[in-house]
Short mmCIF file of all heavy atoms in Angstrom, two decimals:
data_model
loop_
_atom_site.label_atom_id
_atom_site.label_comp_id
_atom_site.label_asym_id
_atom_site.label_seq_id
_atom_site.Cartn_x
_atom_site.Cartn_y
_atom_site.Cartn_z
N ILE A 6 121.33 13.89 -189.73
CA ILE A 6 121.14 12.92 -188.70
C ILE A 6 119.67 12.51 -188.64
O ILE A 6 119.32 11.32 -188.55
CB ILE A 6 121.61 13.46 -187.39
CG1 ILE A 6 123.09 13.59 -187.32
CG2 ILE A 6 121.10 12.49 -186.19
CD1 ILE A 6 123.64 14.39 -186.12
N ARG A 7 118.75 13.50 -188.79
CA ARG A 7 117.27 13.19 -188.73
C ARG A 7 116.93 12.27 -189.89
O ARG A 7 116.23 11.29 -189.72
CB ARG A 7 116.52 14.48 -188.79
CG ARG A 7 115.00 14.32 -188.67
CD ARG A 7 114.22 15.44 -189.21
NE ARG A 7 114.38 15.73 -190.62
CZ ARG A 7 113.85 14.97 -191.59
NH1 ARG A 7 113.11 13.91 -191.30
NH2 ARG A 7 114.05 15.25 -192.87
N ILE A 8 117.45 12.60 -191.05
CA ILE A 8 117.14 11.72 -192.25
C ILE A 8 117.65 10.35 -192.09
O ILE A 8 117.01 9.39 -192.39
CB ILE A 8 117.68 12.42 -193.53
CG1 ILE A 8 116.92 13.71 -193.86
CG2 ILE A 8 117.69 11.49 -194.74
CD1 ILE A 8 117.56 14.60 -194.89
N GLU A 9 118.90 10.24 -191.59
CA GLU A 9 119.48 8.90 -191.30
C GLU A 9 118.65 8.12 -190.34
O GLU A 9 118.35 6.92 -190.59
CB GLU A 9 120.90 9.02 -190.80
CG GLU A 9 121.70 7.78 -190.67
CD GLU A 9 121.95 7.09 -192.04
OE1 GLU A 9 122.07 7.81 -193.00
OE2 GLU A 9 122.07 5.85 -192.02
N ILE A 10 118.25 8.68 -189.29
CA ILE A 10 117.38 7.98 -188.28
C ILE A 10 116.05 7.56 -188.93
O ILE A 10 115.62 6.37 -188.69
CB ILE A 10 117.19 8.85 -187.04
CG1 ILE A 10 118.41 9.01 -186.25
CG2 ILE A 10 116.02 8.29 -186.16
CD1 ILE A 10 118.39 10.09 -185.16
N GLU A 11 115.46 8.46 -189.70
CA GLU A 11 114.19 8.11 -190.35
C GLU A 11 114.34 6.95 -191.28
O GLU A 11 113.42 6.16 -191.56
CB GLU A 11 113.73 9.35 -191.15
CG GLU A 11 112.40 9.25 -191.79
CD GLU A 11 112.00 10.44 -192.57
OE1 GLU A 11 112.84 11.13 -193.14
OE2 GLU A 11 110.75 10.72 -192.57
N SER A 12 115.52 6.76 -191.93
CA SER A 12 115.71 5.72 -192.92
C SER A 12 116.07 4.32 -192.35
O SER A 12 116.15 3.34 -193.01
CB SER A 12 116.78 6.13 -193.91
OG SER A 12 118.07 6.15 -193.29
N LEU A 13 116.33 4.33 -191.05
CA LEU A 13 116.72 3.11 -190.37
C LEU A 13 115.56 2.07 -190.44
O LEU A 13 114.37 2.45 -190.29
CB LEU A 13 117.06 3.29 -188.90
CG LEU A 13 118.35 4.11 -188.67
CD1 LEU A 13 118.56 4.34 -187.19
CD2 LEU A 13 119.60 3.36 -189.21
N GLU A 14 115.90 0.81 -190.55
CA GLU A 14 114.85 -0.25 -190.59
C GLU A 14 115.10 -1.16 -189.34
O GLU A 14 116.21 -1.50 -188.95
CB GLU A 14 114.95 -1.10 -191.84
CG GLU A 14 114.56 -0.28 -193.10
CD GLU A 14 114.59 -1.09 -194.38
OE1 GLU A 14 114.52 -2.33 -194.28
OE2 GLU A 14 114.62 -0.53 -195.41
N PHE A 15 114.01 -1.50 -188.75
CA PHE A 15 113.99 -2.30 -187.51
C PHE A 15 113.19 -3.61 -187.72
O PHE A 15 112.49 -3.71 -188.67
CB PHE A 15 113.45 -1.50 -186.28
CG PHE A 15 114.22 -0.32 -185.98
CD1 PHE A 15 113.96 0.94 -186.54
CD2 PHE A 15 115.37 -0.39 -185.19
CE1 PHE A 15 114.75 2.10 -186.27
CE2 PHE A 15 116.10 0.74 -184.92
CZ PHE A 15 115.81 1.95 -185.40
N ASP A 16 113.31 -4.53 -186.78
CA ASP A 16 112.63 -5.77 -186.86
C ASP A 16 111.15 -5.67 -186.50
O ASP A 16 110.38 -6.60 -186.66
CB ASP A 16 113.23 -6.84 -185.95
CG ASP A 16 114.64 -7.22 -186.44
OD1 ASP A 16 114.89 -7.12 -187.70
OD2 ASP A 16 115.48 -7.69 -185.60
N PHE A 17 110.74 -4.52 -186.10
CA PHE A 17 109.34 -4.36 -185.71
C PHE A 17 108.67 -3.47 -186.74
O PHE A 17 109.37 -2.73 -187.47
CB PHE A 17 109.12 -3.78 -184.32
CG PHE A 17 110.02 -2.57 -183.98
CD1 PHE A 17 109.58 -1.36 -184.25
CD2 PHE A 17 111.29 -2.81 -183.41
CE1 PHE A 17 110.38 -0.24 -183.92
CE2 PHE A 17 112.03 -1.67 -183.05
CZ PHE A 17 111.62 -0.43 -183.37
N ASP A 18 107.37 -3.48 -186.85
CA ASP A 18 106.67 -2.80 -187.90
C ASP A 18 106.31 -1.39 -187.53
O ASP A 18 105.16 -1.03 -187.47
CB ASP A 18 105.37 -3.59 -188.24
CG ASP A 18 104.75 -3.13 -189.51
OD1 ASP A 18 105.45 -2.61 -190.40
OD2 ASP A 18 103.49 -3.23 -189.62
N ARG A 19 107.36 -0.56 -187.33
CA ARG A 19 107.12 0.86 -187.00
C ARG A 19 108.29 1.70 -187.56
O ARG A 19 109.46 1.24 -187.58
CB ARG A 19 107.04 1.09 -185.46
CG ARG A 19 105.83 0.47 -184.81
CD ARG A 19 105.78 0.81 -183.40
NE ARG A 19 104.93 2.02 -183.28
CZ ARG A 19 104.69 2.69 -182.23
NH1 ARG A 19 105.27 2.28 -181.11
NH2 ARG A 19 103.95 3.74 -182.16
N LYS A 20 108.00 2.87 -187.95
CA LYS A 20 109.06 3.81 -188.39
C LYS A 20 109.45 4.67 -187.17
O LYS A 20 108.60 4.98 -186.31
CB LYS A 20 108.53 4.71 -189.50
CG LYS A 20 108.24 4.02 -190.81
CD LYS A 20 109.44 3.49 -191.45
CE LYS A 20 110.12 4.47 -192.28
NZ LYS A 20 111.41 3.97 -192.87
N ILE A 21 110.69 4.96 -187.12
CA ILE A 21 111.26 5.82 -186.03
C ILE A 21 111.55 7.19 -186.63
O ILE A 21 112.12 7.27 -187.77
CB ILE A 21 112.44 5.19 -185.43
CG1 ILE A 21 112.21 3.89 -184.85
CG2 ILE A 21 113.10 6.17 -184.37
CD1 ILE A 21 111.27 3.83 -183.68
N SER A 22 111.17 8.25 -185.95
CA SER A 22 111.52 9.60 -186.37
C SER A 22 111.97 10.40 -185.17
O SER A 22 111.90 9.92 -184.06
CB SER A 22 110.30 10.26 -187.10
OG SER A 22 109.28 10.49 -186.09
N CYS A 23 112.48 11.56 -185.44
CA CYS A 23 112.94 12.41 -184.28
C CYS A 23 112.80 13.89 -184.71
O CYS A 23 112.74 14.27 -185.87
CB CYS A 23 114.41 12.10 -183.91
SG CYS A 23 115.53 12.18 -185.39
N SER A 24 112.75 14.66 -183.67
CA SER A 24 112.71 16.16 -183.85
C SER A 24 113.88 16.69 -183.03
O SER A 24 114.25 16.16 -181.99
CB SER A 24 111.40 16.71 -183.38
OG SER A 24 110.37 16.32 -184.21
N PHE A 25 114.44 17.77 -183.52
CA PHE A 25 115.50 18.45 -182.82
C PHE A 25 115.25 19.98 -182.69
O PHE A 25 114.71 20.58 -183.61
CB PHE A 25 116.83 18.31 -183.61
CG PHE A 25 117.34 16.91 -183.73
CD1 PHE A 25 116.97 16.18 -184.79
CD2 PHE A 25 118.19 16.37 -182.76
CE1 PHE A 25 117.42 14.83 -184.92
CE2 PHE A 25 118.63 15.08 -182.91
CZ PHE A 25 118.29 14.33 -183.96
N GLY A 26 115.65 20.57 -181.54
CA GLY A 26 115.69 21.97 -181.39
C GLY A 26 117.15 22.27 -181.13
O GLY A 26 117.77 21.75 -180.22
N ILE A 27 117.69 23.17 -181.94
CA ILE A 27 119.08 23.51 -181.81
C ILE A 27 119.31 24.96 -181.72
O ILE A 27 118.61 25.74 -182.30
CB ILE A 27 119.91 22.88 -183.01
CG1 ILE A 27 119.46 23.45 -184.34
CG2 ILE A 27 119.88 21.39 -182.97
CD1 ILE A 27 120.34 23.07 -185.50
N CYS A 28 120.37 25.34 -180.98
CA CYS A 28 120.78 26.70 -180.79
C CYS A 28 122.26 26.80 -180.67
O CYS A 28 122.87 25.83 -180.25
CB CYS A 28 120.17 27.37 -179.54
SG CYS A 28 118.44 27.70 -179.62
N SER A 29 122.83 27.86 -180.98
CA SER A 29 124.27 28.10 -180.76
C SER A 29 124.46 29.49 -180.22
O SER A 29 123.61 30.34 -180.39
CB SER A 29 125.09 27.85 -182.09
OG SER A 29 124.66 28.89 -182.98
N GLY A 30 125.53 29.63 -179.50
CA GLY A 30 125.86 30.92 -178.98
C GLY A 30 127.05 30.85 -178.13
O GLY A 30 127.55 29.76 -177.78
N ILE A 31 127.53 32.01 -177.77
CA ILE A 31 128.69 32.09 -176.81
C ILE A 31 128.14 32.30 -175.46
O ILE A 31 127.24 33.17 -175.18
CB ILE A 31 129.64 33.29 -177.24
CG1 ILE A 31 130.25 33.00 -178.60
CG2 ILE A 31 130.77 33.45 -176.19
CD1 ILE A 31 131.00 34.11 -179.17
N VAL A 32 128.55 31.44 -174.54
CA VAL A 32 128.04 31.40 -173.14
C VAL A 32 129.16 31.86 -172.14
O VAL A 32 130.17 31.24 -172.14
CB VAL A 32 127.52 30.06 -172.83
CG1 VAL A 32 127.03 29.99 -171.40
CG2 VAL A 32 126.33 29.64 -173.77
N ASN A 33 128.91 32.88 -171.43
CA ASN A 33 129.82 33.39 -170.47
C ASN A 33 129.44 33.28 -168.98
O ASN A 33 130.16 33.65 -168.10
CB ASN A 33 130.21 34.88 -170.77
CG ASN A 33 130.86 35.03 -172.10
OD1 ASN A 33 131.86 34.36 -172.42
ND2 ASN A 33 130.37 35.94 -172.97
N SER A 34 128.22 32.77 -168.89
CA SER A 34 127.70 32.61 -167.45
C SER A 34 126.67 31.48 -167.44
O SER A 34 126.12 31.11 -168.46
CB SER A 34 127.15 33.94 -166.97
OG SER A 34 125.90 34.24 -167.66
N LEU A 35 126.35 31.11 -166.27
CA LEU A 35 125.30 30.09 -166.02
C LEU A 35 123.96 30.68 -166.56
O LEU A 35 123.18 29.89 -167.17
CB LEU A 35 125.19 29.71 -164.52
CG LEU A 35 124.16 28.65 -164.22
CD1 LEU A 35 124.41 27.38 -164.98
CD2 LEU A 35 124.15 28.37 -162.69
N ASP A 36 123.66 31.89 -166.30
CA ASP A 36 122.41 32.50 -166.75
C ASP A 36 122.36 32.46 -168.34
O ASP A 36 121.27 32.11 -168.88
CB ASP A 36 122.29 33.95 -166.30
CG ASP A 36 121.95 34.03 -164.81
OD1 ASP A 36 121.48 33.08 -164.24
OD2 ASP A 36 122.19 35.13 -164.28
N GLU A 37 123.41 32.78 -169.00
CA GLU A 37 123.43 32.71 -170.40
C GLU A 37 123.30 31.31 -170.92
O GLU A 37 122.58 31.05 -171.93
CB GLU A 37 124.74 33.33 -170.98
CG GLU A 37 124.77 34.79 -170.79
CD GLU A 37 126.09 35.40 -171.24
OE1 GLU A 37 127.01 34.62 -171.67
OE2 GLU A 37 126.24 36.65 -171.25
N PHE A 38 123.88 30.34 -170.23
CA PHE A 38 123.76 28.92 -170.61
C PHE A 38 122.25 28.52 -170.41
O PHE A 38 121.75 27.86 -171.36
CB PHE A 38 124.63 28.07 -169.70
CG PHE A 38 124.42 26.59 -169.97
CD1 PHE A 38 124.91 25.91 -171.02
CD2 PHE A 38 123.70 25.89 -169.02
CE1 PHE A 38 124.71 24.58 -171.27
CE2 PHE A 38 123.48 24.49 -169.21
CZ PHE A 38 124.01 23.83 -170.38
N GLU A 39 121.69 28.81 -169.30
CA GLU A 39 120.31 28.44 -169.09
C GLU A 39 119.36 29.10 -170.12
O GLU A 39 118.44 28.45 -170.59
CB GLU A 39 119.85 28.81 -167.69
CG GLU A 39 120.52 27.92 -166.64
CD GLU A 39 120.24 28.37 -165.24
OE1 GLU A 39 119.71 29.47 -165.01
OE2 GLU A 39 120.58 27.63 -164.27
N ALA A 40 119.64 30.32 -170.53
CA ALA A 40 118.84 31.00 -171.49
C ALA A 40 118.98 30.25 -172.92
O ALA A 40 118.02 30.13 -173.63
CB ALA A 40 119.23 32.46 -171.66
N LEU A 41 120.14 29.86 -173.19
CA LEU A 41 120.42 29.19 -174.45
C LEU A 41 119.66 27.80 -174.50
O LEU A 41 119.00 27.45 -175.46
CB LEU A 41 121.95 28.92 -174.65
CG LEU A 41 122.37 28.33 -175.97
CD1 LEU A 41 122.01 29.26 -177.11
CD2 LEU A 41 123.82 27.99 -175.97
N VAL A 42 119.70 27.08 -173.41
CA VAL A 42 119.02 25.83 -173.24
C VAL A 42 117.43 26.05 -173.39
O VAL A 42 116.81 25.24 -174.06
CB VAL A 42 119.35 25.09 -171.96
CG1 VAL A 42 118.45 23.90 -171.70
CG2 VAL A 42 120.76 24.64 -171.98
N LYS A 43 116.98 27.05 -172.80
CA LYS A 43 115.57 27.39 -172.93
C LYS A 43 115.21 27.70 -174.36
O LYS A 43 114.10 27.31 -174.82
CB LYS A 43 115.15 28.56 -172.01
CG LYS A 43 115.04 28.21 -170.56
CD LYS A 43 114.58 29.39 -169.72
CE LYS A 43 114.52 29.00 -168.23
NZ LYS A 43 114.01 30.06 -167.35
N ARG A 44 116.03 28.42 -175.05
CA ARG A 44 115.75 28.66 -176.50
C ARG A 44 115.77 27.38 -177.29
O ARG A 44 114.92 27.17 -178.20
CB ARG A 44 116.78 29.68 -177.04
CG ARG A 44 116.61 31.08 -176.42
CD ARG A 44 117.65 32.05 -176.89
NE ARG A 44 117.86 32.02 -178.30
CZ ARG A 44 119.12 32.21 -178.85
NH1 ARG A 44 120.17 32.44 -178.13
NH2 ARG A 44 119.25 32.17 -180.18
N ALA A 45 116.68 26.50 -176.98
CA ALA A 45 116.71 25.21 -177.77
C ALA A 45 115.47 24.39 -177.39
O ALA A 45 114.89 23.76 -178.29
CB ALA A 45 117.96 24.45 -177.34
N ASP A 46 115.03 24.38 -176.14
CA ASP A 46 113.87 23.66 -175.75
C ASP A 46 112.60 24.23 -176.42
O ASP A 46 111.79 23.46 -176.87
CB ASP A 46 113.75 23.76 -174.21
CG ASP A 46 112.64 22.81 -173.69
OD1 ASP A 46 112.67 21.63 -174.00
OD2 ASP A 46 111.77 23.32 -172.95
N LYS A 47 112.52 25.50 -176.53
CA LYS A 47 111.44 26.18 -177.22
C LYS A 47 111.41 25.72 -178.73
O LYS A 47 110.37 25.45 -179.35
CB LYS A 47 111.51 27.69 -177.11
CG LYS A 47 110.32 28.46 -177.59
CD LYS A 47 110.47 29.94 -177.22
CE LYS A 47 109.25 30.71 -177.68
NZ LYS A 47 109.37 32.11 -177.33
N ALA A 48 112.56 25.67 -179.34
CA ALA A 48 112.73 25.26 -180.73
C ALA A 48 112.30 23.86 -180.92
O ALA A 48 111.61 23.47 -181.86
CB ALA A 48 114.11 25.48 -181.24
N LEU A 49 112.62 22.95 -179.91
CA LEU A 49 112.23 21.61 -179.97
C LEU A 49 110.71 21.41 -179.88
O LEU A 49 110.09 20.71 -180.69
CB LEU A 49 112.88 20.79 -178.85
CG LEU A 49 112.37 19.36 -178.68
CD1 LEU A 49 112.69 18.51 -179.91
CD2 LEU A 49 113.04 18.69 -177.45
#
């Protein structure tokens, strides 16, 4: 996806890029979900 976005051409004279922070895990509670989101945010 990152490569595809980077290769897009627009009518203005700028390149577009993006960064991603990704995590996966099994979430059984709100606390675990929030911890997973924090880890993804840190990776971003």
Side-chain angles (χ1 to χ4, degrees):
I6 293 169
R7 185 199 63 75
I8 291 168
E9 186 67 28
I10 290 170
E11 182 181 36
S12 71
L13 293 173
E14 294 185 15
F15 297 93
D16 292 335
F17 48 89
D18 192 30
R19 294 185 92 184
K20 293 295 274 177
I21 301 294
S22 65
C23 55
S24 293
F25 295 92
I27 58 172
C28 284
S29 64
I31 297 172
V32 176
N33 295 310
S34 69
L35 180 58
D36 288 340
E37 290 176 356
F38 173 76
E39 289 173 348
L41 186 66
V42 170
K43 283 183 181 182
R44 290 176 48 216
D46 190 52
K47 190 174 183 178
L49 173 60

